[in-house]
């Protein structure tokens, strides 16, 4: 029974994150990538079928696989993320957000930017073999 409850919880988390990530495609300031990364992490524990779908998806799969196999972020995704972070902070500033909000947001955004910039770029088009730990 506990195994069933555990699988249900992991599946709910994965499907919920896919839903939030999908909503993030059209809702401004709702991020897509973090939700899809959580979904890719949770799906194998609750829904192997969803995990397979995510990693074989023509648009999502290459980025998720690069993260899983190389802990890498495509350069274009880094650029877009940095641009959106800057634009989001600018909207807050132009909208007259209080100084503490601007300062806290700037710290958070700088932390996210630092994390992104310290991730390697995606290496080549090959995939990393989990069996041998080298590029195929």
């Amino acid at each position: 029974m506990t195994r069933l409850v555990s699988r249900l919880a992991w599946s709910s988390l994965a499907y919920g994150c896919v839903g939030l990530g999908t909503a993030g495609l059209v809702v401004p300031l709702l991020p897509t990538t973090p939700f899809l990364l959580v979904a890719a992490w949770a799906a194998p524990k609750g829904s192997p079928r969803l995990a397979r779908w995510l990693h074989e998806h023509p648009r999502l799969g290459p980025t998720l696989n690069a993260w899983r196999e190389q802990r890498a972020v495509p350069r274009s995704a880094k650029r877009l993320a940095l641009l959106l972070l800057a634009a989001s902070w600018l909207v807050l500033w132009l909208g007259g957000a209080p100084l503490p909000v601007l300062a806290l947001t700037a710290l958070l955004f700088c932390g996210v930017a630092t994390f992104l910039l310290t991730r390697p770029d995606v290496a080549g088009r090959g995939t990393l073999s989990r069996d041998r730990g080298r590029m195929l």
Side-chain angles (χ1 to χ4, degrees):
M1 182 68 167
T2 57
R3 179 147 168 80
L4 177 62
V5 171
S6 176
R7 283 193 59 173
L8 183 61
W10 287 114
S11 291
S12 297
L13 177 62
Y15 279 104
C17 285
V18 167
L20 288 169
T22 302
L25 294 172
V26 293
V27 176
L29 301 179
L30 182 64
T32 298
T33 304
F35 289 118
L36 292 178
L37 289 175
V38 171
W41 169 73
K45 297 167 178 66
S47 175
R49 189 172 87 183
L50 176 61
R52 205 169 26 260
W53 179 83
L54 284 169
H55 287 284
E56 292 175 359
H57 191 278
R59 303 266 302 165
L60 306 174
T63 302
L64 290 173
N65 290 325
W67 178 256
R68 180 181 64 192
E69 296 170 0
Q70 303 170 17
R71 290 296 185 248
V73 178
R75 189 171 290 166
S76 60
K78 288 180 189 180
R79 278 191 222 116
L80 180 61
L82 294 173
L83 179 70
L84 291 174
L85 287 170
S88 297
W89 192 87
L90 190 61
V91 165
L92 288 171
W93 180 63
L94 292 173
L99 187 58
V101 171
L102 291 173
L104 201 58
T105 308
L107 279 173
L108 175 67
F109 287 3
C110 285
V112 171
T114 300
F115 176 79
L116 275 174
L117 292 172
T118 58
R119 300 306 100 198
D121 292 335
V122 175
R125 294 192 180 253
T127 58
L128 192 66
S129 168
R130 284 185 283 291
D131 298 18
R132 293 186 287 282
R134 61 182 176 83
M135 293 296 289
L136 294 177

